[in-house]
Amino acid sequence: MTFWLRHITRQRSAWLLLGLSAVFLEVCALLFQHVLGLRPCLMCIYERLVVLGLLGSSLIALIDPAKSLWRWGGLILWGLSIYRGLQLSLRHVDYLLHPSPFNSCSFFPDFPAWLPLDIWFPWWFKPLAECSERQWNLWGWELPQWLVLIFSVYLIVWIVIVAANLLTHKYLAE
């Protein structure tokens, strides 16, 4: 099993699948916003950036996943992105389930001055709603709760993949 897991991380198809899943999530976010009319909040915008981090991690590894530098670069960015995504989505759920004037997000993103994404791409990165606003649910779960589940699954898969890459003798010999 560890051999197979290590083997698939050295294949472009696995990294392509990760990238396609990130593109799917971004397209869903844009469809929710522009087709269903849901207004994104600040946490939604930050969660979109995490998904772009997933896409970036797959693009890094796609350069040459057989080489440790690119594979581990992708794995590290994947892990950092998912960890941050889980943090953000848990905080978003807290805002949603425990709304108060003292537990709310801002309307203004904290992008660096040299990268004002909300100004350059307002249709994608401009927050338009309050984080505690309930706009959509599926089977009783709000969108941020679904993101906790999605990021948790990504994190579990990442842990298994990293463990398989660390527990092989061949990796240690590289």
Side-chain angles (χ1 to χ4, degrees), residues 37-49:
L38 302 181
R39 299 174 313 143
C41 66
L42 182 65
M43 298 305 284
C44 297
I45 300 303
Y46 289 160
E47 290 156 351
R48 287 179 184 184
L49 287 172

Side-chain angles (χ1 to χ4, degrees), residues 6-173:
R6 181 176 48 88
H7 175 72
I8 63 169
T9 59
R10 294 172 184 218
Q11 304 299 313
R12 281 196 166 94
S13 57
W15 292 100
L16 187 60
L17 181 62
L18 178 66
L20 289 175
S21 71
V23 168
F24 173 76
L25 289 174
E26 286 292 341
V27 167
C28 285
L30 292 172
L31 286 174
F32 276 114
Q33 179 179 353
H34 297 290
V35 175
L36 295 179
L38 302 181
R39 299 174 313 143
C41 66
L42 182 65
M43 298 305 284
C44 297
I45 300 303
Y46 289 160
E47 290 156 351
R48 287 179 184 184
L49 287 172
V50 165
V51 174
L52 288 177
L54 280 177
L55 179 61
S57 70
S58 71
L59 293 175
I60 288 170
L62 278 169
I63 293 171
D64 190 356
K67 298 214 182 301
S68 292
L69 172 70
W70 302 114
R71 183 174 63 252
W72 279 100
L75 284 169
I76 290 168
L77 183 56
W78 177 7
L80 292 171
S81 296
I82 289 308
Y83 175 74
R84 186 64 178 142
L86 193 53
Q87 279 183 325
L88 290 168
S89 59
L90 286 169
R91 185 181 313 154
H92 195 172
V93 167
D94 183 49
Y95 290 150
L96 190 69
L97 298 180
H98 307 102
S100 81
F102 306 106
N103 188 29
S104 65
C105 64
S106 171
F107 275 110
F108 306 104
D110 191 21
F111 294 132
W114 53 269
L115 191 66
L117 294 174
D118 57 323
I119 295 170
W120 293 347
F121 307 105
W123 53 273
W124 196 350
F125 295 112
K126 184 176 178 138
L128 301 170
E130 179 66 35
C131 291
S132 61
E133 188 177 329
R134 293 175 182 251
Q135 299 184 61
W136 179 89
N137 76 57
L138 177 64
W139 300 317
W141 278 25
E142 301 288 333
L143 190 55
Q145 293 169 312
W146 283 105
L147 286 174
V148 169
L149 176 66
I150 290 167
F151 290 142
S152 296
V153 169
Y154 273 118
L155 184 62
I156 290 167
V157 171
W158 179 81
I159 289 169
V160 169
I161 294 292
V162 167
N165 275 274
L166 288 175
L167 295 176
T168 59
H169 296 292
K170 185 169 183 170
Y171 168 74
L172 297 173

